[in-house]
Amino acid sequence: MPAIHSSLSFYMKPLFLSNSSLFPRKFTVPKEYLLNPRSLCALSSASNQNGGRSGARSLSPSPVSDDLQKIDVNPPKGTRDFPPEDMRLRNWLFHNFQEVSRLFGFEEVDFPVLESEALFIRKAGEEIRDQLYCFEDRGNRRVALRPELTPSLARLVIQKGKSVSLPLKWFAVGQCWRYERMTRGRRREHYQWNMDIIGVPAVTAEAELISSIITFFKRIGITASDVGFRISSRKVLQEVLRCHSIPEHLFGKVCIIIDKIEKLPLDVIKNDLKSAGMSEAAIEELLRVLSIKSLTELEEILGGAGEAVADLKLLFSLAEKFGYSDWIQFDASVVRGLAYYTGIVFECFDRDGKLRAICGGGRYDQLLSTFGGDDIPACGFGFGDAVILELLKEKGLLPPLNHQVENIVCALDHNLQGAASMVATTLRGKGQSVDLVLESKPLKWVFKRAARINAQRLILVGTTEWQKGMVGVKILSSGEQYEIKLDELE
Ligand code: HAM
């Protein structure tokens, strides 16, 4: 390749007319910074003579008038900023959510973050209701920031009515708000990946959903020895309650109480169940069943004829076919904290037991009728962004994600800024990413920036070359350099 014309060095001169702050007095440009070693002399002499940073602004704070208030630069408690490095991680995570959903044939949907408060108010006294961010808007409507996506999904399914054909396989990634007590992996704002299947009554749907979560785990390097699913069915509880003639309408309430079994003392749980209308015998029976960890034992107690055992047996046999038996285990104590679940429920935890639930879901065949729609069988899961990032960090599995721009384009004379813009536009038109240097900067600065953004090529626009329709190219990994016609630049 021919070396860059010496005129590049000539045209570098005006670039440093006022660059004293970045150019030390006795400045030597490292050899690798230069396209043409002959330009070295021009560079250093220009910098020595002229110094000064063009366009540099004073960074000293401007005087603040007394009536201006200093703001707290931290985001509100429990919420997060996403500076570039965090945004790269979030995008990586969401990309994996989306790719897995695509692999399973799901379509993406979204809903407003602000919904009618009524959508989230259920009778059973769920924790999620106490955590609701709700307020009256300027039109006196009661509204809430969504704490979860499922009610919005149900609303949209009802709204779409017969215009959509079942089954629907929808996924969404959206921000949810809960006024939570802050713990590791629990915050006041989080993103949730949801996958839901609407219109399939069979357990094949739950098996497919669990398979999608496991596919996701495998993609990001999480194995069956890192995490495990605990699976049960709310029908287990239903059958116990039915045996003790507990009215159906108490079912949701009992589930909510049981969900707190690991968080509250047993006496408190027993008292709450008593207040909900359960007899001592029923409570004892319920607690005995909840401690079961084997399907065979469950079958011995409930008999093989009920739906609970049949559903669970089918799910575990499907798991074998999918090849994820070692990821899942039956655990009757899993009931989930949301009132609307009616069948299979599952949660996924880290095996070390250090973190809160990574994800959770289940079947909710009657949610739509609580909003005035026809009941359609449905199941799904929610998978938060916070716990999984904690787990990846713990396991050293966070991917290295650097800012990366393919090209850095720089004019060697401020008169050539327009030409550099043209070069950038041409490359971008060919699908190449370009960081265009927008001010006159010394080459040392340009090289530093190129390293920071992991640029592969430096494109220099110098006057003589530009007059010939050419630019200078330096491949930053190898140091190879050449001139090339702009229209041949790929
Ligand atoms: P959930 O168990 O309340 O279920 O939340 C699902 C997941 O969201 C949790 O396992 C956790 O990963 C994440 N999550 C929940 N709250 C927080 C929080 N405060 N901070 C960080 N992450 C959190 C639901 O929301 C159901 N709507 C899921 C579902 C979809 N069921 C059927 N379809």
Side-chain angles (χ1 to χ4, degrees):
M1 289 290 172
I4 292 280
H5 198 277
S6 58
S7 62
L8 276 178
S9 58
F10 174 80
Y11 284 108
M12 280 173 199
K13 271 188 179 177
L15 197 64
F16 303 106
L17 279 174
S18 54
N19 273 354
S20 66
S21 59
L22 279 181
F23 252 55
R25 261 165 203 270
K26 276 196 114 189
F27 177 74
T28 323
V29 178
K31 211 165 113 223
E32 70 274 16
Y33 280 9
L34 296 168
L35 291 165
N36 179 354
R38 284 168 65 190
S39 56
L40 233 174
C41 349
L43 259 178
S44 64
S45 65
S47 67
N48 290 340
Q49 288 162 24
N50 302 312
R53 182 180 181 178
S54 71
R57 285 191 209 117
S58 159
L59 283 178
S60 58
S62 52
V64 180
S65 87
D66 285 346
D67 50 350
L68 286 182
Q69 229 186 7
K70 249 192 172 176
I71 58 149
D72 181 354
V73 293
N74 296 304
K77 188 171 177 200
T79 69
R80 293 166 291 180
D81 288 321
F82 288 90
E85 60 280 12
D86 294 344
M87 201 61 204
R88 278 196 288 277
L89 197 56
R90 182 174 122 184
N91 283 337
W92 169 83
L93 192 69
F94 288 12
H95 174 72
N96 279 292
F97 289 156
Q98 283 156 346
E99 271 302 289
V100 170
S101 307
R102 191 188 60 77
L103 282 178
F104 281 74
F106 281 57
E107 289 181 284
E108 189 162 13
V109 290
D110 199 7
F111 326 98
V113 175
L114 189 73
E115 285 274 16
S116 155
E117 184 187 34
L119 202 58
F120 306 110
I121 300 201
R122 295 180 285 261
K123 283 184 227 126
E126 300 162 313
E127 196 177 33
I128 207 169
R129 190 202 181 307
D130 304 328
Q131 297 171 339
L132 207 57
Y133 277 90
C134 48
F135 56 97
E136 200 164 277
D137 74 5
R138 286 166 194 263
N140 304 324
R141 296 171 206 94
R142 294 292 309 169
V143 288
L145 296 179
R146 63 183 180 197
E148 54 163 340
L149 305 177
T150 315
S152 305
L153 176 132
R155 179 180 60 65
L156 185 59
V157 172
I158 296 170
Q159 187 209 108
K160 286 280 172 196
K162 300 226 174 330
S163 71
V164 288
S165 45
L166 300 178
L168 298 172
K169 293 181 181 178
W170 284 356
F171 82 96
V173 181
Q175 196 181 34
C176 298
W177 292 82
R178 298 183 188 185
Y179 196 83
E180 280 253 18
R181 203 171 55 82
M182 301 271 295
T183 55
R184 195 171 170 207
R186 284 291 179 274
R187 40 185 58 260
R188 299 205 168 144
E189 145 283 310
H190 71 281
Y191 284 85
Q192 247 188 47
W193 169 40
N194 278 221
M195 284 177 80
D196 290 86
I197 300 178
I198 297 106
V200 177
V203 172
T204 46
E206 284 93 322
E208 175 83 337
L209 289 170
I210 295 170
S211 171
S212 67
I213 302 172
I214 290 167
T215 304
F216 169 80
F217 280 138
K218 286 181 177 167
R219 270 179 83 98
I220 61 168
I222 298 284
T223 66
S225 50
D226 299 319
V227 300
F229 288 76
R230 289 159 53 192
I231 301 181
S232 186
S233 168
R234 282 213 174 162
K235 289 177 185 168
V236 172
L237 269 180
Q238 218 162 16
E239 287 174 27
V240 175
L241 296 185
R242 216 173 277 146
C243 280
H244 289 268
S245 312
I246 312 286
E248 285 278 320
H249 71 268
L250 286 181
F251 177 64
K253 202 168 183 182
V254 170
C255 290
I256 301 305
I257 298 169
I258 296 295
D259 184 57
K260 299 195 181 106
I261 212 158
E262 277 171 15
K263 293 184 208 149
L264 297 175
L266 199 56
D267 283 351
V268 177
I269 299 288
K270 283 182 178 174
N271 267 338
D272 288 353
L273 290 171
K274 218 169 169 180
S275 316
M278 285 185 74
S279 67
E280 298 237 343
I283 293 173
E284 288 313 317
E285 168 75 352
L286 186 65
L287 294 177
R288 186 166 77 93
V289 171
L290 288 175
S291 68
I292 296 174
K293 304 271 186 272
S294 121
L295 256 185
T296 326
E297 203 184 327
L298 183 76
E299 193 170 358
E300 277 163 21
I301 292 181
L302 296 184
E307 282 183 26
V309 172
D311 283 357
L312 286 162
K313 277 170 94 173
L314 178 55
L315 181 58
F316 279 79
S317 82
L318 283 167
E320 248 177 70
K321 305 286 180 300
F322 272 109
Y324 60 72
S325 298
D326 48 342
W327 293 73
I328 64 173
Q329 72 183 73
F330 169 70
D331 183 339
S333 70
V334 175
V335 289
R336 308 264 301 132
L338 297 163
Y340 49 68
Y341 292 112
T342 52
I344 296 284
V345 277
F346 57 87
E347 280 181 331
C348 178
F349 289 91
D350 66 302
R351 295 217 189 257
D352 295 340
K354 290 187 188 160
L355 304 166
R356 299 276 301 268
I358 302 168
C359 66
R363 176 163 289 278
Y364 53 99
D365 285 349
Q366 285 151 25
L367 180 61
L368 270 66
S369 65
T370 64
F371 295 142
D374 293 336
D375 273 330
I376 306 177
C379 60
F381 68 81
F383 190 122
D385 64 336
V387 183
I388 188 64
L389 289 180
E390 289 288 331
L391 185 66
L392 289 170
K393 214 180 290 169
E394 187 126 321
K395 303 269 170 202
L397 289 171
L398 283 177
L401 300 166
N402 295 318
H403 182 38
Q404 204 148 28
V405 184
E406 286 157 318
N407 304 277
I408 182 162
V409 172
C410 176
L412 289 177
D413 184 308
H414 65 273
N415 291 327
L416 288 171
Q417 197 61 45
S421 311
M422 231 170 115
V423 174
T425 305
T426 304
L427 279 170
R428 288 169 185 152
K430 291 178 178 175
Q432 291 267 323
S433 55
V434 176
D435 182 55
L436 175 62
V437 178
L438 298 168
E439 298 170 284
S440 293
K441 292 289 183 191
L443 268 188
K444 184 183 180 184
W445 184 96
V446 176
F447 274 93
K448 260 193 185 158
R449 182 164 178 86
R452 199 174 69 72
I453 66 173
N454 296 296
Q456 291 149 24
R457 290 194 301 190
L458 166 63
I459 316 285
L460 284 182
V461 187
T463 305
T464 312
E465 294 70 25
W466 187 245
Q467 279 164 357
K468 293 185 284 175
M470 300 185 94
V471 291
V473 175
K474 182 166 175 116
I475 307 297
L476 292 163
S477 55
S478 62
E480 180 196 354
Q481 54 191 52
Y482 53 88
E483 283 179 14
I484 191 169
K485 280 201 155 11
L486 177 59
D487 50 15
E488 287 167 12
L489 193 60
E490 289 298 329

